[in-house]
Amino acid sequence: MTAITSTAYSRDLGDELRRLREKHTTLTGAAFAEQLGWDPSKVSNIEKGKARASEIDLVQYFMMCGRDTVAFETFRARYRHAFDSCVALVPENLRTLAMAEAQAERITCYDVLSVPGLIQTPQYARTLLSSGRGTPEQVERGFKSRMERQAVLRRPFRPHCLFYVHELALQLRVGDERVMEEQYLRMMFRTHTLRIVPLSAGPAPIRMSARMLFSFEKLVPVAYSETDIANVFSHDGAAIAECRESFKWLDELALDEGQSRSLLTSYISGLRREADEPRAELAQEFP
């Protein structure tokens, strides 16, 4: 077992091992280590993703949990990438992202076409997820996960969150006027800092992909980006530096907090005016 810097993925898989032990045995970490003839710190470090378990370690761990070779091989295939400086995961794996959000001291985020998931209202999130090609079951799993992840913003000691949102996300209508108004109001909550990148900033910010930067008290930062094909977690120094520089650039382009709130207020007023105006077809029916 070689101790190296942990990653978001190693912490996720280490936690998966912990849950495996707790589900299939009645042993504490210390008792589990004793049964394996290991030092208790070895189990702790593996389960916290702080140290890489060897293949023999994993075999012994899985056998102690009563798992078969199929379960072992499936886990081993994923675990071989646990400590990579950059790893791409399937979009369905949201546990690694949720753990990064829960452990972060600071979260900085940029989205172009939609409101960041951590501050989406339930109706906005469900409507957005339902608009894709996912099955009802996939939509429901994604919705449930997104709502559960938002618990980090309700904690007394929540991470400091700074969200840069492009104005295009305000203009893209997701659902009806009520859904959008509730979403605009949610964005004005004091659980986070919101900075809107205006249309007047030009086309360059639109071309930049959505991204997040997680900063921790004692862990290496994580740069994160997602598409409908893969979610990418990077601990590479160059990737983190580039992510930081992109947020410095956005800081220069974005409206300040007060201006962002004023712009949101204007969008809310626009929706309310739309709701008060008679529909064209009704005006034609009742001249």
Side-chain angles (χ1 to χ4, degrees), residues 125-193:
R126 189 180 290 279
T127 304
L128 186 64
L129 291 168
S130 299
S131 67
R133 295 181 298 157
T135 65
E137 292 76 16
Q138 290 172 327
V139 169
E140 190 59 33
R141 283 198 302 270
F143 173 76
K144 182 179 179 181
S145 173
R146 189 161 299 184
M147 293 300 101
E148 289 176 345
R149 285 166 46 205
Q150 293 183 2
V152 299
L153 294 184
R154 296 191 292 270
R155 298 186 322 206
F157 302 101
R158 56 180 174 264
H160 173 74
C161 295
L162 170 57
F163 298 113
Y164 291 98
V165 181
H166 199 280
E167 190 176 353
L168 283 175
L170 306 183
Q171 296 187 345
L172 184 63
R173 190 66 63 89
V174 178
D176 58 20
E177 290 85 353
R178 182 176 180 180
V179 172
M180 291 305 298
E181 180 174 346
E182 290 177 349
Q183 182 57 69
Y184 293 150
L185 291 170
R186 173 65 184 89
M187 296 168 75
M188 297 176 76
F189 283 9
R190 298 293 187 178
T191 58
H192 56 273
T193 300

Side-chain angles (χ1 to χ4, degrees), residues 5-254:
T5 302
S6 69
T7 69
Y9 197 34
S10 73
R11 294 190 289 273
D12 176 21
L13 293 181
D15 190 65
E16 186 175 329
L17 288 173
R18 176 191 61 78
R19 288 183 284 110
L20 185 74
R21 168 178 60 78
E22 292 178 349
K23 179 179 179 180
H24 295 285
T25 79
T26 59
L27 301 172
T28 64
F32 193 80
E34 183 178 356
Q35 290 295 316
L36 287 170
W38 296 356
D39 187 279
S41 64
K42 180 172 179 176
V43 171
S44 176
N45 287 334
I46 289 175
E47 292 183 348
K48 291 180 180 178
K50 293 182 177 180
R52 181 190 292 275
S54 69
E55 187 167 314
I56 298 300
D57 291 336
L58 289 178
V59 169
Q60 294 174 346
Y61 196 106
F62 270 71
M63 294 305 103
M64 181 61 66
C65 291
R67 310 310 293 151
D68 58 23
T69 56
V70 174
F72 165 72
E73 292 294 345
T74 301
F75 184 85
R76 183 179 66 165
R78 291 182 291 135
Y79 194 77
R80 68 182 55 173
H81 301 293
F83 291 85
D84 290 356
S85 62
C86 185
V87 62
L89 305 178
V90 294
E92 290 77 13
N93 178 7
L94 298 174
R95 189 178 58 240
T96 304
L97 175 60
M99 284 194 66
E101 290 170 339
Q103 294 175 332
E105 185 177 60
R106 178 179 292 269
I107 300 173
T108 310
C109 172
Y110 174 57
D111 261 294
V112 182
L113 295 177
S114 63
V115 175
L118 284 176
I119 53 173
Q120 289 179 6
T121 64
Q123 197 57 46
Y124 181 99
R126 189 180 290 279
T127 304
L128 186 64
L129 291 168
S130 299
S131 67
R133 295 181 298 157
T135 65
E137 292 76 16
Q138 290 172 327
V139 169
E140 190 59 33
R141 283 198 302 270
F143 173 76
K144 182 179 179 181
S145 173
R146 189 161 299 184
M147 293 300 101
E148 289 176 345
R149 285 166 46 205
Q150 293 183 2
V152 299
L153 294 184
R154 296 191 292 270
R155 298 186 322 206
F157 302 101
R158 56 180 174 264
H160 173 74
C161 295
L162 170 57
F163 298 113
Y164 291 98
V165 181
H166 199 280
E167 190 176 353
L168 283 175
L170 306 183
Q171 296 187 345
L172 184 63
R173 190 66 63 89
V174 178
D176 58 20
E177 290 85 353
R178 182 176 180 180
V179 172
M180 291 305 298
E181 180 174 346
E182 290 177 349
Q183 182 57 69
Y184 293 150
L185 291 170
R186 173 65 184 89
M187 296 168 75
M188 297 176 76
F189 283 9
R190 298 293 187 178
T191 58
H192 56 273
T193 300
L194 179 74
R195 303 277 305 281
I196 295 175
V197 180
L199 289 170
S200 59
I206 301 172
R207 297 177 59 247
M208 194 169 82
S209 63
R211 62 195 61 196
M212 298 177 78
L213 180 64
F214 298 100
S215 301
F216 309 90
E217 184 178 357
K218 297 181 180 180
L219 301 172
V220 175
V222 179
Y224 171 79
S225 182
E226 67 181 31
T227 68
D228 58 344
I229 298 175
N231 297 342
V232 180
F233 295 81
S234 180
H235 299 77
D236 178 73
I240 293 169
E242 168 57 29
C243 200
R244 284 175 171 158
E245 287 301 313
S246 69
F247 284 124
K248 287 182 181 179
W249 180 61
L250 288 173
D251 180 68
E252 298 174 357
L253 297 177

